Amino acid sequence: MINIVLFGPPGSGKGTQAQNLIHKFNLKQISTGDLFRYNIKNETELGKLAKSYIDKGELVPDQVTIDMLTEEVKKPTEAAGFIFDGFPRTAAQTEALEKIVKEVLNDEISICLSLVVDDEILVKRLLKRGETSGRSDDADENIIRNRIKEYYAKTAEVADLYKKQGKYVEVDGVGDINDISEKLYTEVEKVK
Ligand code: C5P
Ligand code: MG
């Protein structure tokens, strides 16, 4: 299997690149953000809880997110591996993911692909996306900046954990979408 952690701050292009990667390598994308939004739309208890954090640009508590992710990984799939998009976002989630992938899939994370984008470009991209995404957390610059703050406070250290394992690769996330995809494909081919 190929199991990719697609990493980077909000607005770095994880969702966009995941779409190309799933087709190229026949992978299943698990986006925890998308799962939360699905639950919010369907007004589930999980959705109500998640919304109270997401609307402030904060992270949902680890155990809630980890349990939701675990359920998704357990679902049968024909795919050749997974792309984890927007997860892990904390050190605890990183540890949990390692355990889940080992116990459920009898496998390990192949690579952590990190999309690097300057903060001010992120803010511009997210405000632009907010014009059409309908996402409350894209609509307000203060919330966007809080999401970036949360990223530095809690998520950036995830990179160090994958660096220690020799699995961390940075790719410039600014430029033509397909050019960025090509760079990602090259990195995946190396660990395939
Ligand atoms: O990944 P995405 O940017 O779609 O996530 C949207 C929001 O969902 C985050 O800003 C955060 O509030 C919440 N989230 C989280 N923990 C994750 C993924 C998403 O709290 N692992
Ligand atoms: Mg996303």
Side-chain angles (χ1 to χ4, degrees), residues 83-100:
I83 293 189
F84 299 98
D85 161 7
F87 185 99
R89 262 190 164 81
T90 62
Q93 290 179 21
T94 309
E95 251 175 64
L97 181 62
E98 187 165 337
K99 209 165 150 237
I100 295 159

Side-chain angles (χ1 to χ4, degrees), residues 1-4 18-19 21-23 25-31 35 69-85 105:
M1 292 180 92
I2 318 169
N3 298 305
I4 300 170
Q19 281 309 306
L21 285 160
I22 56 171
H23 291 115
F25 297 106
N26 181 31
L27 305 173
K28 176 174 175 176
Q29 174 192 13
I30 300 182
S31 160
L35 291 169
L69 184 278
T70 306
E71 286 313 303
E72 252 345 269
V73 175
K74 282 183 177 167
K75 289 181 183 166
T77 174
E78 299 286 302
F82 288 87
I83 293 189
F84 299 98
D85 161 7
L105 306 171

